[in-house]
Amino acid sequence: MWKTALKPRWIAGFIFAIALSGVFVLLSQWQFGRSTQPEVPVNPATEQVQPLTGTLQPGEFFHGSVADQMVTAQGTYSPDKQVLVPGRLHDGKTGYWVVSAFAVNGAPALTGAGASPQTWIPVARGWVAQPGDAAAPPSGLVELTGRLLPSEAPVAGKAPKSGEASAVSVAELINYWEVSSYPGFVSATAEVVGGQDVSAAAVPGNLLPLDIGPQPPAQHINWLNLFYSIEWVVFAGFALFIWWRLVKDDYHRDLEEALDDAGDDGDGHDENQQLPQQAEQHQQPEQHQQKVQP
């Protein structure tokens, strides 16, 4: 059985193949990361404060293009139109969102059965740890600034307690308050009364600000980059295959040379050339035996 020691060129080739495969794997990871990156960055226009009455109309469908838009509006809160939304997190603690009804000055009034003279919008004013920490909304004319968000879906199969709502759902809140409403709500960042900001972000207390930022765009899979990432993995495997193939061919070549060398005798003559001579030597005794027979 022939044994062949590892040759330096085999080891060097293996190291090179591993290094090349590692580069291909890194390129595959880079392409895979790009395949799941959002193609459209966060729109900076949403941070420019726009009038609520010019951004969204009551009675219409909430368009995705106005989601996360910073808006401002003037109006008044109703102290008897406030609910708590339980199960909301703030710095890892579970508590309540304080949601109040805000009558928007200059908003178009809806018509039809059950429509109220004024048009309202729910405002998430802040977060509290306990229901008793929720104070009444500020009175008087309020200049509201906040982020416009789409209405949440009500939680099915969950009956809220008195003074609570299952979610910031316009469909659920208008039944509690019996008012006409915008098809979304505002997360307040400022509530200016008489030139002074009285919001949770400006006044320390039990009511803590929500600090809801713009939501990142949904990730889309870039299939071309995903294909490239798979292709680089194939290249990495192909590099190792090429090294293995070269070593195999080299090993077989050495094995054939060793077999050829083993077929020659020590004086350089081929053993096959001695076969006729050996055959003659085997035949000579037979001939002598035939001669001595009577």
Side-chain angles (χ1 to χ4, degrees):
M1 182 177 181
W2 298 99
K3 295 182 179 180
T4 304
L6 292 177
K7 296 183 179 181
R9 65 173 179 268
W10 294 357
I11 299 176
F14 178 73
I15 296 175
F16 177 75
I18 288 295
L20 189 60
S21 298
V23 173
F24 290 159
V25 170
L26 292 177
L27 290 173
S28 174
Q29 292 179 347
W30 176 71
Q31 289 286 358
F32 182 79
R34 287 184 59 86
S35 68
T36 56
Q37 285 183 351
E39 297 182 357
V40 181
V42 175
N43 185 7
T46 60
E47 305 309 297
Q48 300 177 3
V49 181
Q50 302 292 336
L52 173 62
T53 54
T55 303
L56 183 65
Q57 297 299 318
E60 293 184 357
F61 178 76
F62 190 98
H63 301 283
S65 59
V66 300
D68 294 331
Q69 178 65 52
M70 293 295 294
V71 294
T72 183
Q74 287 187 343
T76 56
Y77 284 110
S78 177
D80 59 343
K81 292 180 175 59
Q82 179 169 280
V83 296
L84 300 178
V85 180
R88 300 302 167 117
L89 295 176
H90 190 280
D91 292 336
K93 299 179 181 179
T94 304
Y96 303 81
W97 275 12
V98 181
V99 181
S100 304
F102 185 80
V104 182
N105 291 352
L110 297 179
T111 59
S116 59
Q118 284 185 306
T119 301
W120 303 68
I121 190 169
V123 177
R125 299 179 45 242
W127 179 92
V128 293
Q130 300 295 332
D133 297 335
S139 59
L141 182 63
V142 179
E143 185 175 350
L144 172 68
T145 303
R147 192 173 301 278
L148 183 61
L149 300 171
S151 173
E152 297 179 349
V155 179
K158 181 180 179 181
K161 299 179 182 179
S162 177
E164 295 183 2
S166 65
V168 191
S169 169
V170 173
E172 184 177 351
L173 294 176
I174 60 177
N175 290 328
Y176 295 157
W177 297 334
E178 297 181 350
V179 296
S180 303
S181 176
Y182 278 86
F185 71 99
V186 174
S187 172
T189 58
E191 296 167 310
V192 178
V193 178
Q196 183 179 0
D197 190 359
V198 295
S199 65
V203 179
N206 294 326
L207 185 65
L208 303 180
L210 299 182
D211 295 331
I212 299 178
Q215 300 300 308
Q219 290 185 342
H220 300 282
I221 296 178
N222 189 321
W223 294 104
L224 182 61
N225 290 106
L226 184 61
F227 172 78
Y228 285 154
S229 67
I230 299 174
E231 190 178 53
W232 283 119
V233 173
V234 175
F235 288 163
F238 188 69
L240 294 175
F241 171 77
I242 290 296
W243 170 83
W244 173 81
R245 187 67 183 181
L246 292 176
V247 171
K248 179 182 177 182
D249 293 343
D250 195 19
Y251 173 76
H252 285 172
R253 191 181 305 110
D254 292 346
L255 187 60
E256 292 176 358
E257 293 176 356
L259 290 174
D260 292 341
D261 293 341
D264 297 338
D265 58 9
D267 56 0
H269 296 286
D270 194 344
E271 291 181 350
N272 294 330
Q273 296 177 358
Q274 299 180 2
L275 293 178
Q277 298 177 0
Q278 294 177 357
E280 293 177 358
Q281 293 177 359
H282 288 294
Q283 293 175 359
Q284 289 177 359
E286 294 178 358
Q287 295 175 356
H288 291 302
Q289 291 176 0
Q290 293 176 359
K291 290 179 180 180
V292 295
Q293 290 179 359

